[in-house]
Amino acid sequence: MNMSKLLIVGTVAFDAIETPFGKTDKILGGAATFIGLAAAQFDVKSAIVSVVGDDFPTGYIEMLNSKNIDTSGIEIVKGGKTFFWKGKYHNDLNSRDTLITDLNVLADFKPKVPENFKDCDFLMLGNLHPSVQMAVIQQVPKRPKLVVLDTMNFWMNNAWDELIEVLKKIDVLTINDEEARQLSGEYSLVKAAQRIAKFGPKYVVIKKGEHGALLFHKGNIFFAPALPLEEVFDPTGAGDTFAGGFIGYLAKTKDISFENMKNAVIYGSNLASFCVEKFGTRRMEDLKNEEIHKRLRRFKELTQFEIELN
Amino acid sequence: MNMSKLLIVGTVAFDAIETPFGKTDKILGGAATFIGLAAAQFDVKSAIVSVVGDDFPTGYIEMLNSKNIDTSGIEIVKGGKTFFWKGKYHNDLNSRDTLITDLNVLADFKPKVPENFKDCDFLMLGNLHPSVQMAVIQQVPKRPKLVVLDTMNFWMNNAWDELIEVLKKIDVLTINDEEARQLSGEYSLVKAAQRIAKFGPKYVVIKKGEHGALLFHKGNIFFAPALPLEEVFDPTGAGDTFAGGFIGYLAKTKDISFENMKNAVIYGSNLASFCVEKFGTRRMEDLKNEEIHKRLRRFKELTQFEIELN
């Protein structure tokens, strides 16, 4: 059976993270990195389009390659410095302060889709300037089977028109609850999703962090809980890991029905529950398929009930 | 088949409520009222133990009687005034300010369990001073099949020792997330539930409002989502309605296994989703069984998925 081609666009970056449990120096981060590592859990051919400086360790590139992620679309800018984010989480881990955002080479990022991924079946547009996301869509001549976009409040505040334009071109928007409220002007998430669907996306996924995620499509709603954990160590990358698990599962199964998207958000939530167990990408790098499978059983136990409907 | 006897202890009160959608004068409220109306949806024999003043309209008592709720345990204090609460919800409906709390006859409440309910099978101790809850337990000579207790942060701050004493006597504690954190000193709800279980209750239900509810028992966790609603009109009584649906379903089915408690929290969440649609008890007063049944289907669609485990 032919494997789907999944193209991922987003940041590949350095993060420095402080949580109540410890702190890191510059470690591997970035939306595309987390998406790629999550999607790598499924049998798909994936590639990342991004940009780094020549300060980016080749060891990180090799790690991504070892997960069968094509990195030929990651431009390495000579003399440039890699995007760097430094943040500190509050005690409840639900909020954080950004201490440093050095765009560096990301400021002039012109994405270039590798020739062998111009016919991608699935396209994941990670959180980036909407014009960059649009540039990628325009480089893909054949409409992919599914286009998923992630964004954030920063672009609503600074690139509203470009964001609205790119929303017309996509199938699925993933966004967190506060951002959904800002984008729609509606407090109720049900109404927010209805309003957002009018911008273009047929499917809206609202991520609520520790409170799970909601999938909306026409009148249908599905809810994937977050797995209740004894300890959340570092939430960085959980949303991107969720998106990577979502699109990775869909790309593997090649079934984009609403019923199968239910499974996809469960897989997304499943993978995100691992991501938060260690700093940065560390848990995702050594995650085994059996572990995911075992945790899936916990998701079933957590949500499945047996009331007879007659 | 013999119907279970369910004894409910809690406030029967006047509420005055202001939400972004409107405001009410004094209307019927109180924990026992909401619990009773929810439990009345199931085939159980229930009774309320409470206290009101002689300002309490007989029409309200008649309404409760029309739902087959025995009100002989509601003491009417001559010349006394009924407990009154006035509150105003903020725009997001997730937080509220208490404007008035007039304890009135509740200040000297000495609960008296009616003779014909001293052999109750199920006992629901609504939010009240833990000494009052204990006094009821002591009036019931035969240990009921299940004792459920609801409490709030006020008693943790003002009657800690009495609360700890009564927690030793119960089976299930229902409590909201912030209160669970306060009671346990743990931020993680998984750890909070483990700690709380050491106080006595074998089952802990943590209510998260619009984010659903978690049921904990030993190592097992079940999650009941809240139904995503286009509009929440008035959240007053939602937690008590949840508890009433929970114990009402268990009392009807007489099955207190963890598997059946899963169904019970789904029923609790189901009934709470109706409660918030109108002011006060209004929606619960005219709620029909078919409506509950129909909404149950939405809960199934919201949470059930079909990933094969092999």
Side-chain angles (χ1 to χ4, degrees):
Chain A
M1 190 163 131
N2 266 340
M3 275 198 272
S4 295
K5 280 189 185 177
L6 165 63
L7 181 63
I8 299 159
V9 188
T11 54
V12 172
F14 290 131
D15 286 347
I17 301 159
E18 190 172 337
T19 78
F21 309 109
K23 58 193 289 185
T24 67
D25 286 327
K26 285 186 177 182
I27 58 172
L28 176 62
T33 310
F34 283 103
I35 294 167
L37 287 174
Q41 292 294 337
F42 304 93
D43 296 325
V44 292
K45 275 189 205 165
S46 64
I48 290 177
V49 169
S50 193
V51 64
V52 294
D54 59 10
D55 58 347
F56 195 74
T58 48
Y60 287 163
I61 296 284
E62 286 161 8
M63 185 278 290
L64 293 172
N65 293 152
S66 77
K67 304 286 182 187
N68 288 316
I69 300 169
D70 183 325
T71 55
S72 63
I74 303 182
E75 184 191 355
I76 300 169
V77 177
K78 278 214 176 133
K81 289 180 71 180
T82 301
F83 172 50
F84 173 55
W85 176 81
K86 181 172 180 171
K88 182 178 171 168
Y89 288 88
H90 300 161
N91 275 336
D92 63 7
L93 290 171
N94 274 328
S95 54
R96 67 186 186 189
D97 294 323
T98 288
L99 304 177
I100 299 175
T101 308
D102 287 338
L103 286 183
N104 297 331
V105 295
L106 198 66
D108 301 309
F109 178 37
K110 302 267 178 300
K112 282 175 216 77
V113 175
E115 275 307 319
N116 58 332
F117 272 85
K118 287 196 168 164
D119 62 346
C120 62
D121 309 291
F122 289 80
L123 175 56
M124 176 71 224
L125 302 161
N127 175 36
L128 275 175
H129 194 298
S131 301
V132 174
Q133 295 174 318
M134 184 65 99
V136 171
I137 292 175
Q138 287 167 343
Q139 289 177 47
V140 174
K142 196 179 117 255
R143 178 68 164 70
K145 199 173 164 83
L146 196 78
V147 180
V148 180
L149 182 140
D150 188 61
T151 190
M152 70 183 294
N153 49 7
F154 183 82
W155 310 117
M156 297 174 207
N157 298 328
N158 296 289
W160 177 267
D161 292 346
E162 295 93 325
L163 178 60
I164 295 302
E165 278 310 302
V166 75
L167 289 180
K168 294 178 186 167
K169 306 284 188 185
I170 66 163
D171 301 299
V172 183
L173 176 66
T174 68
I175 190 170
N176 80 28
D177 44 359
E178 283 319 306
E179 291 159 354
R181 288 176 171 133
Q182 182 177 345
L183 183 59
S184 65
E186 294 284 355
Y187 184 79
S188 153
L189 296 180
V190 177
K191 286 190 178 176
Q194 289 166 353
R195 183 70 64 97
I196 290 169
K198 290 191 180 143
F199 289 132
K202 292 182 282 296
Y203 302 86
V204 178
V205 177
I206 298 182
K207 300 174 288 181
K208 304 200 294 170
E210 62 163 330
H211 299 303
L214 288 158
L215 166 67
F216 295 90
H217 174 57
K218 293 180 181 167
N220 299 310
I221 312 179
F222 180 71
F223 177 76
L227 198 70
L229 295 170
E230 287 197 28
E231 219 144 75
V232 171
F233 190 79
D234 171 19
T236 310
D240 295 312
T241 300
F242 174 90
F246 175 76
I247 200 161
Y249 179 78
L250 293 175
K252 178 193 147 197
T253 56
K254 300 178 181 176
D255 171 358
I256 58 169
S257 67
F258 184 74
E259 282 307 308
N260 199 47
M261 278 196 194
K262 292 181 175 183
N263 298 343
V265 290
I266 292 288
Y267 268 100
S269 190
N270 185 335
L271 290 173
S273 77
F274 287 105
C275 177
V276 302
E277 291 182 342
K278 289 188 184 175
F279 268 130
T281 58
R282 225 161 290 169
R283 188 69 178 90
M284 298 311 291
E285 287 179 41
D286 64 14
L287 184 59
K288 285 177 189 54
N289 208 267
E290 308 90 79
E291 295 177 292
I292 300 169
H293 203 78
K294 210 168 154 190
R295 198 161 281 192
L296 206 50
R297 198 172 293 276
R298 287 174 63 189
F299 273 87
K300 282 230 165 190
E301 289 166 1
L302 186 65
T303 57
Q304 309 299 288
F305 59 90
E306 299 295 341
I307 302 174
E308 286 300 318
L309 296 176
N310 43 36
Chain B
M1 191 163 131
N2 266 340
M3 276 198 274
S4 294
K5 282 190 185 177
L6 166 63
L7 181 62
I8 299 160
V9 188
T11 54
V12 172
F14 290 132
D15 286 346
I17 301 159
E18 190 173 338
T19 77
F21 309 109
K23 58 194 287 185
T24 67
D25 286 329
K26 284 185 180 185
I27 58 173
L28 176 60
T33 310
F34 283 103
I35 294 166
L37 287 175
Q41 292 294 337
F42 305 93
D43 296 326
V44 292
K45 277 190 204 164
S46 64
I48 290 177
V49 169
S50 192
V51 64
V52 295
D54 59 9
D55 58 346
F56 194 73
T58 48
Y60 287 163
I61 297 284
E62 287 161 8
M63 185 278 292
L64 293 172
N65 293 152
S66 77
K67 305 286 180 187
N68 288 317
I69 300 169
D70 183 324
T71 56
S72 63
I74 303 182
E75 184 190 356
I76 300 169
V77 178
K78 278 213 176 134
K81 289 180 73 181
T82 302
F83 173 50
F84 173 53
W85 177 80
K86 181 172 181 172
K88 182 178 172 168
Y89 287 88
H90 300 161
N91 276 335
D92 62 7
L93 290 170
N94 274 328
S95 54
R96 67 186 186 189
D97 294 324
T98 288
L99 304 176
I100 299 174
T101 307
D102 286 339
L103 285 182
N104 297 332
V105 295
L106 197 65
D108 302 308
F109 178 37
K110 302 268 181 297
K112 283 176 215 75
V113 175
E115 276 305 321
N116 58 332
F117 272 85
K118 288 195 167 163
D119 62 346
C120 62
D121 309 291
F122 289 81
L123 175 56
M124 176 73 224
L125 302 162
N127 175 36
L128 274 175
H129 194 297
S131 301
V132 175
Q133 295 173 318
M134 184 66 99
V136 171
I137 291 174
Q138 287 167 345
Q139 289 177 46
V140 174
K142 195 180 116 255
R143 179 68 163 70
K145 199 174 164 80
L146 196 78
V147 180
V148 180
L149 181 140
D150 188 61
T151 190
M152 70 184 295
N153 49 5
F154 184 81
W155 309 118
M156 297 174 207
N157 298 328
N158 295 289
W160 176 266
D161 292 344
E162 296 92 325
L163 179 58
I164 295 302
E165 278 310 302
V166 76
L167 288 180
K168 294 177 187 167
K169 305 283 187 187
I170 65 164
D171 301 300
V172 184
L173 175 67
T174 68
I175 190 169
N176 79 28
D177 43 0
E178 283 320 307
E179 291 159 355
R181 287 176 172 134
Q182 182 176 346
L183 183 58
S184 65
E186 294 283 354
Y187 184 80
S188 153
L189 297 179
V190 177
K191 285 189 179 177
Q194 288 166 355
R195 184 69 66 98
I196 290 169
K198 290 191 180 143
F199 290 132
K202 291 181 283 295
Y203 302 85
V204 178
V205 177
I206 298 182
K207 301 174 287 181
K208 304 198 297 169
E210 63 163 330
H211 299 302
L214 287 160
L215 166 67
F216 296 89
H217 174 57
K218 293 180 181 166
N220 299 310
I221 313 178
F222 181 70
F223 177 75
L227 198 69
L229 296 170
E230 287 197 26
E231 218 143 73
V232 170
F233 191 79
D234 171 19
T236 310
D240 295 312
T241 300
F242 174 89
F246 175 76
I247 200 162
Y249 178 78
L250 293 176
K252 177 192 147 199
T253 56
K254 299 178 182 176
D255 171 359
I256 58 169
S257 67
F258 184 75
E259 283 306 309
N260 201 46
M261 280 197 193
K262 292 180 176 185
N263 297 343
V265 291
I266 292 288
Y267 267 100
S269 189
N270 185 334
L271 289 173
S273 77
F274 287 105
C275 176
V276 302
E277 290 182 342
K278 289 188 184 176
F279 268 130
T281 58
R282 226 162 288 170
R283 187 68 177 92
M284 299 311 292
E285 287 179 40
D286 64 14
L287 183 59
K288 282 176 190 57
N289 208 268
E290 307 90 81
E291 295 176 293
I292 299 168
H293 203 77
K294 211 169 152 189
R295 197 160 282 192
L296 206 50
R297 200 173 292 275
R298 287 174 63 191
F299 273 87
K300 281 230 165 189
E301 289 165 0
L302 185 64
T303 56
Q304 308 301 286
F305 58 89
E306 298 294 341
I307 303 174
E308 287 300 318
L309 297 176
N310 44 37

